[in-house]
Amino acid sequence: MNQDQIARERAPLVFITGASSGIGQALAAAYAQEGWRLALVARRADVVQQWLAGQGLGPERAAVYQADVRDTDAIVAAATRCLVEQGLPQVVIANAGLSVGIDTAERADLDVLRELYETNVIGMAATFHAFIRPMRLARRGTLVGVASVAAIRGLPGHGGYCGSKAAVVAYCESLRVELRADGLRVVTLVPGFVDTPLTQGNRYPMPFLIAPDTFAEKALPLIARGTPFAVVPWPMAWVVVLLRLLPRGLYDRVIAGRGRKQRRGEPPI
């Protein structure tokens, strides 16, 4: 075994869900640039394989696992395969997410609401599940949950997404305190508006919109430091503070005229 092969095998490993596009793919590219090995999870595994080929990343640098995070058995199996085939990741990023508007008066949207929580909350817990025991034994590891500024206050037509991301923030905080004594770190990343398929076509202004690679560039140092909670980009942190401070009555008047998040099947504009 030559020195390059030894170095590759010793390179740290990151496990990322939702890696076929947007933030997940940008994070994968940023970690690859830093020399990390990749364990990438997506429903569209073929898309990820094509992307890896285009990046010149072979099987010694990256592995792809096909799984839908809503299928608990599938994502747990993917994580278990990663442990067996690639070893224990240093960082696990539960990034896979769903964003779609709902109208509670519509029966079909109750099923959409369930899908939002299954993807954004249960899928995150299922992603972390298989890694917690081995990380505890190793007394190392960082679990990263990707939330959203939509977690801070409720938005018109966006109750399912806002509620699920608020649950992500509270869940990650609980997990952070729970695992602290075991030497594990839990990071909550709170993206503002990032130009991904989840935000394209939104019917309302998106201040401080950034590209996915810009988000990834800012996120990696935060993860490396184990920052408990971080809004990206930083100007959105001021928006978060303002939203938290607004009295409910004033907030309701300000937000009432904001465009609603489109429901599934509705045109974006």
Side-chain angles (χ1 to χ4, degrees), residues 41-250:
V41 181
R43 291 177 301 160
R44 301 175 296 164
D46 57 330
V47 173
V48 182
Q49 291 284 13
Q50 291 170 12
W51 177 78
L52 287 172
Q55 299 294 308
L57 296 170
E60 75 285 352
R61 290 289 308 279
V64 181
Y65 305 97
Q66 195 281 326
D68 184 336
V69 297
R70 291 180 299 160
D71 183 340
T72 298
D73 289 339
I75 186 61
V76 170
T80 302
R81 279 185 58 202
C82 171
L83 288 166
V84 171
E85 297 173 9
Q86 294 180 277
L88 179 64
Q90 185 168 318
V91 173
V92 174
I93 304 177
N95 164 74
L98 176 65
S99 176
V100 62
I102 65 164
D103 182 344
T104 308
E106 298 292 335
R107 171 62 185 85
D109 284 8
L110 298 181
D111 296 327
V112 176
L113 180 63
R114 177 181 293 107
E115 188 178 345
L116 281 160
Y117 275 83
E118 287 176 345
T119 304
N120 297 346
V121 185
I122 306 302
M124 173 171 291
T127 298
F128 292 158
H129 164 74
F131 298 110
I132 290 178
R133 282 197 175 95
M135 282 184 170
R136 274 176 164 158
L137 288 172
R139 296 194 62 79
R140 66 170 178 84
T142 301
L143 304 175
V144 182
V146 179
S148 167
V149 292
I152 306 306
R153 301 293 292 258
L155 300 169
H158 224 354
Y161 185 71
C162 293
S164 67
K165 289 302 185 179
V168 165
V169 171
Y171 166 77
C172 286
E173 184 166 63
S174 298
L175 198 62
R176 185 178 74 245
V177 177
E178 181 182 334
L179 298 177
R180 182 178 180 181
D182 297 306
L184 277 63
R185 301 187 295 187
V186 179
V187 174
T188 306
L189 293 179
V190 183
F193 294 108
V194 183
D195 188 12
T196 72
L198 292 184
T199 59
Q200 290 163 1
N202 280 346
R203 298 167 167 174
Y204 41 79
M206 294 184 286
F208 309 116
L209 180 70
I210 60 173
D213 58 344
T214 301
F215 175 87
E217 178 186 349
K218 297 177 183 302
L220 261 64
L222 296 168
I223 296 170
R225 291 195 296 268
T227 305
F229 182 96
V231 179
V232 181
W234 71 263
M236 281 301 295
W238 294 106
V239 176
V240 167
V241 171
L242 177 61
L243 288 174
R244 281 177 166 167
L245 291 176
L246 278 179
R248 289 185 176 86
L250 178 57

